[in-house]
Amino acid sequence: MKRLIATVSALIILYISLFSPTSSQATSHQTIQVIAVENFYGELVKMLGGPYVSVISILSNPNQDPHLLEASPKIARTYASAQLLVYNGANYNPWLPRLLSSSRKNRKPHTEIVAADLVGKKPGDNPHLWYLPATMPAVARAVSAFLVQTDPAHKADYAVRLTRFIDSIKPIDQKIAELRQYYQGEPVTATESVFGYMAEAIGLTMHNKRFQLAAMNETEPSAADVAAFEHDLRTRQVRVLIYNNQASDMSTQRMLKIAQQSHVPIVHVTETEPDGKTYHQWMLEQLNALQRALEGQVQ
Ligand SMILES: [Zn+2]
């Protein structure tokens, strides 16, 4: 039923806002037209392409659950003009293959960069690949190679921009290494799997994975999985609850409440990049919040 939230009309509004004066200004004939389905990949392309690219992202509303989004025919039409399409893959957007095949007929040939393919993930794996440390550098290199090939005149500029991006995310790896040193093996839990790869990189022991899968797929968690989760919180078997603000329902909100009552520190995370933040700011803020929570600070 939650699908109703992501109505077609909401998407048309989104579509209109994507073509606000700022973006249409940038759509000159010289720029390379890019659609990055998820907004963090969109930001990446903007950083790598600077003034030579025009980028549109579809998933950028932090109040919407991206797993449940449906694409409108209007969005399908915007795909027709893109020279590059960047998206997550691993079945993160089940609507995308349908949309691509329906708009394929009228489209000029374009390049697709699929994050999942670059890091060896497939449907059924945890789809939140932008929390996997290897993903952004891999997507950045692929996007940069495409830009150099399409627009060799600006090759040197693209190289500088790629180096700058790779440097900008180094503090994330440093923070992960630092957390790993202190907190490897510590038990934590989460309402949904969005932070899974990051928790794995830090070496945290993740509890209640079946509950997280149910929350992601909008299915009912089993009574046994709910009971195990509640027990973990009430008896403080876990150091932290990681809470996905963008994939919440009655069962996840219930866990949030129990965590609060049981004084288990909570870390709030999101699926899409918040407005006004860069990828590395977003990730570092979440990692810093996790650090405070692991130190026992209740938020
Ligand atoms: Zn998710």
Side-chain angles (χ1 to χ4, degrees):
M1 277 305 105
K2 272 198 154 187
R3 269 168 204 283
L4 288 172
I5 297 167
T7 58
V8 169
S9 62
L11 279 161
I12 290 167
I13 292 163
L14 179 67
Y15 169 82
I16 292 162
S17 68
L18 289 169
F19 286 94
S20 59
T22 25
S23 49
S24 60
Q25 257 170 25
T27 315
S28 86
H29 289 295
Q30 270 80 39
T31 57
I32 300 168
Q33 307 293 306
V34 183
I35 292 181
V37 173
E38 293 84 6
N39 70 344
F40 32 84
Y41 298 133
E43 184 215 295
L44 172 70
V45 177
K46 278 182 202 158
M47 281 186 74
L48 296 170
Y52 316 118
V53 296
S54 296
V55 187
I56 288 170
S57 291
I58 307 289
L59 296 181
S60 55
N61 180 352
N63 300 315
Q64 204 163 40
D65 183 344
H67 294 284
L68 302 173
L69 194 91
E70 295 284 347
S72 71
K74 233 173 182 182
I75 281 184
R77 282 199 291 278
T78 71
Y79 281 81
S81 61
Q83 288 164 268
L84 173 65
L85 174 66
V86 185
Y87 65 97
N88 188 72
N91 207 25
Y92 184 59
N93 313 116
W95 45 268
L96 192 60
R98 269 201 316 277
L99 181 141
L100 293 178
S101 59
S102 67
S103 66
R104 196 147 270 159
K105 281 175 242 152
N106 320 317
R107 179 142 47 81
K108 49 183 174 181
H110 72 201
T111 301
E112 287 181 17
I113 293 175
V114 186
D117 296 347
L118 300 176
V119 291
K121 299 292 178 187
K122 54 188 188 316
D125 292 332
N126 183 340
H128 306 97
L129 300 176
W130 54 103
Y131 279 86
L132 175 72
T135 301
M136 291 310 248
V139 175
R141 290 194 173 92
V143 168
S144 193
F146 167 84
L147 295 173
V148 169
Q149 197 183 30
T150 310
D151 177 26
H154 298 111
K155 187 179 174 180
D157 201 358
Y158 293 133
V160 170
R161 287 172 176 276
L162 176 63
T163 306
R164 203 184 297 153
F165 178 78
I166 300 289
D167 285 347
S168 83
I169 56 173
K170 277 184 184 156
I172 300 171
D173 290 334
Q174 284 160 8
K175 181 53 90 175
I176 290 170
E178 185 191 331
L179 289 173
R180 191 176 176 87
Q181 201 182 335
Y182 291 102
Y183 299 111
Q184 189 171 8
E186 291 292 345
V188 300
T189 193
T191 51
E192 198 258 6
S193 57
V194 69
F195 199 76
Y197 288 119
M198 203 65 104
E200 210 175 291
I202 297 165
L204 299 170
T205 303
M206 185 59 78
H207 287 209
N208 309 300
K209 284 186 181 172
R210 276 202 308 266
F211 180 100
Q212 293 167 33
L213 205 62
M216 181 179 88
N217 294 331
E218 286 286 302
T219 55
E220 203 65 45
S222 76
D225 291 341
V226 172
F229 205 134
E230 289 190 18
H231 181 264
D232 265 352
L233 294 173
R234 291 196 202 279
T235 59
R236 304 190 63 180
Q237 302 293 310
V238 287
R239 297 272 305 259
V240 167
L241 170 68
I242 297 162
Y243 189 81
N244 182 348
N245 295 351
Q246 260 172 285
S248 84
D249 59 19
M250 267 164 62
S251 65
T252 65
Q253 284 160 22
R254 184 174 152 73
M255 295 309 161
L256 183 68
K257 212 166 177 184
I258 295 170
Q260 285 162 343
Q261 288 163 353
S262 312
H263 307 287
V264 173
I266 296 153
V267 180
H268 291 272
V269 296
T270 58
E271 297 241 353
T272 48
E273 189 171 292
D275 264 353
K277 287 196 176 133
T278 64
Y279 174 79
H280 82 273
Q281 286 169 338
W282 176 37
M283 287 295 139
L284 273 183
E285 279 176 20
Q286 294 182 145
L287 287 167
N288 286 332
L290 174 67
Q291 183 170 23
R292 289 193 297 275
L294 286 166
E295 285 165 357
Q297 292 181 34
V298 179
Q299 288 156 52

